[in-house]
Amino acid sequence: MIEAFLFLFTGIIGLVTLALMLRSYQSNPFCNFFLVLIISVVSFRYFFHGSYNLGLQTVVKPDSGLYSLLFLIIAPSLYLYYKHLTDPKTAYNPKDFKHLFFIIFLYLINSVEVLRDSFLFYFGSMTNFYLITIFVTFYIVLIFNLLKKKVWFRKNLELNRNHFNLVKNWTIYFFIINLLCSLMVFVSLYTEFKTGVKVSGKTMAVFSVIFWSSAFFKILISPEILYGLPVLNKTLLKFNNSEVEKIEAVNLQNDVVGSNWVLEVAVKEDSQDYRLQENIRANIVSYIQEVDKLSTEKFIFRNQKVSQNDIAEMLGVPTSHIVYLFKYHSKISFTEYRKNSRIQDALKLIDEGFLNLETLESLAYKTGFASYNPFFIAFKNSTNYSPQDYSKVKK
């Protein structure tokens, strides 16, 4: 009775979590889909199991036997979830269906009598245990290597360490839950195959229920961790009204960049930009500050090829947000902003004595210009001095 209640309770909590996730599904569908699938499978399975054993419904019986193999889809789905979480730009790929091949193969060899009696089952019923263990372990190792490379031991971060730590802490927590649940499945299957009980993988499920419950509660108290890097960053960049009122007091490092921005803009209603404005209005100030920080502290424009897409990736936000920012909230175009930032960088380097050891051509390349001529023209238009004259004045 207590076990059935735990199943039902966990299923309900999972469904509540699922409903919360679906509210923001459109914000990052490729990242959300696999976690939605995982929690849907887990929640409905626990819900039907608990409600049936408590006599609340008699339509859907607890799964066991051959159909239990289909729940192995959770293993590859977890891998694909982490893959999309760590790289939000990853789009849905039909090749992902290759992860289902083994499950289909396992289902077929257990459902076709000829295959059941073939050499494939040399170890008898324990063959399924060995195959499932290898399959799940393969994905656990795959996930571990992915997270180790992309998150846990990654050091070349360009900004937003708090943002990164949220992702890191969540992946560590959720991976441990995955690992513990996998161990419980192994123990359950081994026990069921050895004793001849109809296979369901739920002999030790009471422990898995506890693990999944903790994951659901973790999600409910911090739902922003579900939706990949863009929404994580959006959460971290939210500013209150007092900060918005202080925008003019923000200490930017040069006048050209600092006076570039405007807060209040008019966008035509019923347009796509207007709908976008409603979604990101609260983040405009933080976007401005982060873009200026990239320019004046990270010197991203020293890279000749840097684009709005690159900035969006660094901030962990959709490219459309950065395009909107420069379209409506900047007094100059992105190209002009990039050029002015490079000139400000050059001025600072000259002030710091860069030309004492280097040439003007080196300064042009250093600040991101493809050659000296465009650097000369941009410098003179911005300062009314040629680079040579300005350096002489500074001396």
Side-chain angles (χ1 to χ4, degrees):
M1 181 66 73
I2 295 177
E3 182 177 302
F5 175 78
L6 287 175
F7 272 102
L8 180 62
F9 176 76
T10 303
I12 292 173
I13 295 299
L15 293 175
V16 171
T17 304
L18 181 64
L20 176 65
M21 292 168 56
L22 291 175
R23 287 174 52 197
S24 301
Y25 179 80
Q26 293 299 324
S27 65
N28 198 352
F30 294 117
C31 177
N32 291 343
F33 172 76
F34 297 104
L35 194 57
V36 168
L37 175 62
I38 293 164
I39 295 186
S40 297
V41 171
V42 172
S43 300
F44 280 110
R45 190 183 194 196
Y46 286 160
F47 177 81
F48 290 132
H49 184 99
S51 60
Y52 183 88
N53 286 341
L54 288 173
L56 300 178
Q57 60 91 15
T58 57
V59 178
V60 182
K61 297 182 179 180
D63 49 83
S64 61
L66 191 58
Y67 290 110
S68 293
L69 294 173
L70 300 179
F71 289 99
L72 290 174
I73 194 175
I74 293 176
S77 296
L78 282 168
Y79 167 72
L80 292 172
Y81 165 66
Y82 288 117
K83 181 179 178 181
H84 284 263
L85 177 68
T86 55
D87 187 5
K89 295 190 302 179
T90 303
Y92 172 78
N93 191 336
K95 292 182 180 179
D96 289 337
F97 284 111
K98 67 186 178 184
H99 295 282
L100 299 178
F101 289 164
F102 178 82
I103 300 174
I104 296 173
F105 165 77
L106 196 60
Y107 184 86
L108 287 175
I109 65 173
N110 279 275
S111 58
V112 178
E113 186 175 354
V114 175
L115 296 177
R116 275 203 313 270
D117 297 331
S118 69
F119 71 95
L120 292 173
F121 283 84
Y122 177 81
F123 298 101
S125 61
M126 288 300 293
T127 299
N128 281 321
F129 171 74
Y130 296 138
L131 290 175
I132 293 172
T133 301
I134 293 171
F135 175 73
V136 175
T137 302
F138 170 78
Y139 278 101
I140 290 293
V141 173
L142 207 61
I143 291 169
F144 177 81
N145 289 332
L146 171 71
L147 295 177
K148 180 178 69 172
K149 179 181 177 181
K150 296 276 188 155
V151 182
W152 295 344
F153 301 110
R154 184 177 176 183
K155 296 180 179 179
N156 57 330
L157 302 177
E158 295 181 302
L159 78 164
N160 238 333
R161 181 161 291 278
N162 289 335
H163 167 132
F164 172 78
N165 285 337
L166 272 176
V167 179
K168 182 178 180 179
N169 292 338
W170 164 247
T171 54
I172 291 174
Y173 177 87
F174 199 43
F175 179 76
I176 291 174
I177 294 294
N178 304 154
L179 189 59
L180 291 173
C181 288
S182 298
L183 291 174
M184 292 304 100
V185 169
F186 294 158
V187 173
S188 296
L189 291 176
Y190 181 82
T191 303
E192 290 164 0
F193 282 124
K194 276 293 186 181
T195 58
V197 176
K198 197 169 186 180
V199 178
S200 66
K202 291 187 290 191
T203 302
M204 303 291 291
V206 65
F207 295 102
S208 296
V209 164
I210 295 173
F211 300 146
W212 275 109
S213 294
S214 66
F216 293 155
F217 279 114
K218 175 72 172 177
I219 292 168
L220 289 172
I221 62 175
S222 51
E224 70 274 6
I225 64 179
L226 299 176
Y227 308 117
L229 303 182
V231 175
L232 271 174
N233 194 65
K234 179 179 178 180
T235 301
L236 290 164
L237 294 179
K238 284 185 178 178
F239 279 68
N240 57 37
N241 291 333
S242 64
E243 288 170 304
V244 174
E245 294 170 357
K246 294 177 182 177
I247 181 60
E248 295 182 354
V250 174
N251 183 23
L252 300 174
Q253 295 187 14
N254 60 76
D255 292 335
V256 174
V257 175
S259 61
N260 172 58
W261 306 101
V262 292
L263 288 180
E264 297 300 326
V265 296
V267 181
K268 185 178 179 181
E269 293 188 15
D270 299 326
S271 67
Q272 185 174 352
D273 286 343
Y274 182 79
R275 290 189 290 272
L276 183 58
Q277 180 189 50
E278 294 301 305
N279 291 331
I280 68 173
R281 185 191 299 273
N283 298 325
I284 292 300
V285 173
S286 58
Y287 285 173
I288 290 172
Q289 291 179 319
E290 290 296 326
V291 169
D292 283 338
K293 182 179 178 181
L294 285 175
S295 169
T296 59
E297 296 181 18
K298 304 296 180 180
F299 304 110
I300 61 165
F301 294 115
R302 290 180 180 179
N303 179 352
Q304 293 181 20
K305 298 181 179 180
V306 72
S307 65
Q308 294 180 77
N309 184 61
D310 295 320
I311 291 177
E313 183 177 351
M314 293 174 188
L315 295 182
V317 300
T319 302
S320 60
H321 289 201
I322 302 303
V323 172
Y324 173 89
L325 182 71
F326 279 97
K327 181 177 180 180
Y328 290 102
H329 291 276
S330 176
K331 296 177 183 178
I332 56 178
S333 67
F334 173 75
T335 302
E336 287 294 312
Y337 180 90
R338 181 174 57 191
K339 181 181 69 177
N340 289 343
S341 296
R342 287 170 174 167
I343 296 303
Q344 294 301 311
D345 187 15
L347 292 173
K348 184 176 179 181
L349 288 172
I350 292 174
D351 293 343
E352 293 174 350
F354 181 86
L355 294 177
N356 293 338
L357 299 174
E358 302 288 346
T359 64
L360 288 169
E361 286 77 7
S362 297
L363 180 63
Y365 292 124
K366 174 75 173 179
T367 53
F369 287 92
S371 64
Y372 178 73
N373 284 339
F375 167 70
F376 177 89
I377 296 171
F379 193 99
K380 191 164 187 178
N381 288 341
S382 180
T383 66
N384 292 323
Y385 287 97
S386 68
Q388 296 92 332
D389 291 341
Y390 183 84
S391 61
K392 290 176 183 178
V393 170
K394 282 298 176 181
K395 290 180 180 179

